[in-house]
Amino acid sequence: MKAVVYDRYGGPEVLSVAQVPVPAPGPKQVLVQVHATSLNLSDWETLRGTPLYSRLGGLRAPRRPILGSDIAGRVEAVGAEVTQFAPGDAVYGDNLMLKGGFAEYAVAPESALAHKPAELSFAEASALPQAAAIAVQGTAGIEAGMSVLINGAGGGSGMFAIQLAKNAGARVTGVDNAAKLAFMQGLGADAVLDYRVEDFTRTGPHDRVLDLVAYRSVFAYRRAVARGGRYRCVGGTTRALLRMTTLGVLTGLVTGRGLGVLAVKEGPAHFTPLARECVAGRVAIHIDREFELEETAAALAHVGAGRALGKVVVRVR
């Protein structure tokens, strides 16, 4: 089968298109003929090997030669112990542990997949799993009248988070680069900030802050959150995440604010609820660009440069 592979950390230039064997599913695994794979910031980080936590399982060289976790396609074969799927079923899911989506076929655990809603295309379905899980959990507990700030709101998770917060009745501020301001407004953000011009930690304070690209100090984030409010980060530098899990928790306790890292739970239970919202028309999926499998390096460069408005998808079949 055709696949996009790499054997060392680096930029898009380390990727190449190769012919590799079709993987065989284990007893509790499913072989998926991939139709579409959406890109996440985690793909870019694992390509480059930075932040350091992206090298888990492969400190000196990549553990998996094929990236791509958010897949959508049709079941080609199933393992002996698989009960939920059969060949021909349309499925989608976040194959974060095994990856392999930038290829014609990928093996995924049965537990990572869900039946694709007929109303969604394969490209749309692939845009959901990882970003949806982050957005749903990152906006949980938001109520009408709250002031909510989302940093990195112009990307995939942010796109969904803006809409979920607005649907809950919150006043939403989106933060990203200048090229994404109009896009965030179109999603419903009440206010938008260019992080290169304005320091969002000096705005507010806000009842909820969801930070998708954490890199600032704990004390900067503390001042952005109202007393009794909550800050959660997911993604960002290793230093920022470590500080938040230690000094951030302590600072939050002392100052009456909930500061911490969002421990994202994986699996269909955490992304299928948003899929239902999309099917019902209450949340929109915006795909910025679609690339062919052979253009995966260009797709990753587009995401890594921070240019993507919403999601970017690689078409495989």
Side-chain angles (χ1 to χ4, degrees):
M1 68 173 185
K2 186 185 298 183
V4 176
V5 302
Y6 77 133
D7 59 8
R8 67 187 189 278
Y9 296 116
E13 71 279 356
V14 305
L15 295 166
S16 62
V17 180
Q19 289 291 327
V20 301
V22 175
K28 297 182 179 180
Q29 295 177 332
V30 175
L31 178 64
V32 178
Q33 182 185 50
V34 181
H35 286 246
T37 300
S38 79
L39 278 66
N40 295 292
L41 186 58
S42 60
D43 294 306
W44 175 251
E45 292 174 343
T46 310
L47 171 67
R48 296 173 63 241
T50 183
L52 187 60
Y53 57 75
S54 66
R55 299 192 181 210
L56 290 175
L59 187 60
R60 302 187 67 179
R63 181 184 181 188
R64 307 284 180 187
I66 305 173
L67 291 167
S69 59
D70 274 359
I71 62 174
R74 291 197 180 275
V75 174
E76 179 74 13
V78 299
E81 298 178 23
V82 171
T83 60
Q84 299 180 65
F85 306 105
D89 287 350
V91 297
Y92 71 123
D94 181 4
N95 196 24
L96 184 61
M97 295 306 296
L98 299 181
K99 300 182 176 61
F102 299 139
E104 293 179 307
Y105 294 90
V107 163
E110 178 184 26
S111 60
L113 299 173
H115 289 279
K116 181 185 75 68
E119 298 86 349
L120 300 180
S121 68
F122 285 107
E124 289 171 330
S126 75
L128 282 166
Q130 194 173 127
I134 292 171
V136 167
Q137 294 168 64
T139 57
I142 290 176
E143 299 176 351
M146 284 186 173
S147 172
V148 176
L149 183 140
I150 303 166
N151 185 34
S157 299
M159 164 185 68
F160 292 131
I162 287 176
Q163 296 178 79
L164 289 172
K166 284 301 298 178
N167 289 352
R171 184 181 188 281
V172 179
T173 298
V175 183
D176 216 304
N177 63 56
K180 299 186 180 185
L181 300 185
F183 174 64
M184 294 186 293
Q185 287 176 317
L187 293 171
D190 300 283
V192 292
L193 302 176
D194 177 359
Y195 76 91
R196 295 167 179 165
V197 175
E198 190 167 358
D199 181 357
F200 79 84
T201 69
R202 296 187 181 278
T203 67
H206 305 278
D207 300 303
R208 295 286 188 273
V209 174
L210 175 60
D211 194 351
L212 302 169
V213 283
Y215 68 95
R216 303 288 298 277
S217 75
V218 168
F219 302 107
Y221 292 132
R222 180 201 60 76
R223 68 175 173 242
V225 182
R227 189 170 184 82
R230 186 183 71 195
Y231 167 95
R232 290 291 184 269
C233 61
V234 52
T237 66
T238 302
R239 177 178 295 181
L241 295 178
L242 288 174
R243 285 176 175 173
M244 189 54 64
T245 57
T246 52
L247 181 60
V249 173
L250 179 60
T251 301
L253 289 172
V254 172
T255 62
R257 294 161 174 82
L259 306 180
V261 175
L262 181 66
V264 180
K265 298 176 182 177
E266 302 171 18
H270 304 289
F271 61 76
T272 53
L274 186 57
R276 291 192 289 270
E277 293 294 293
C278 294
V279 169
R282 290 186 288 269
V283 173
I285 301 170
H286 182 82
I287 295 175
D288 178 36
R289 291 182 62 181
E290 294 187 22
F291 292 80
E292 298 298 329
L293 180 61
E294 294 81 0
E295 300 172 315
T296 298
L300 279 161
H302 185 66
V303 171
R307 295 194 297 267
L309 302 176
K311 295 291 290 188
V312 168
V313 171
V314 166
R315 293 190 302 262
V316 183
R317 285 181 179 270

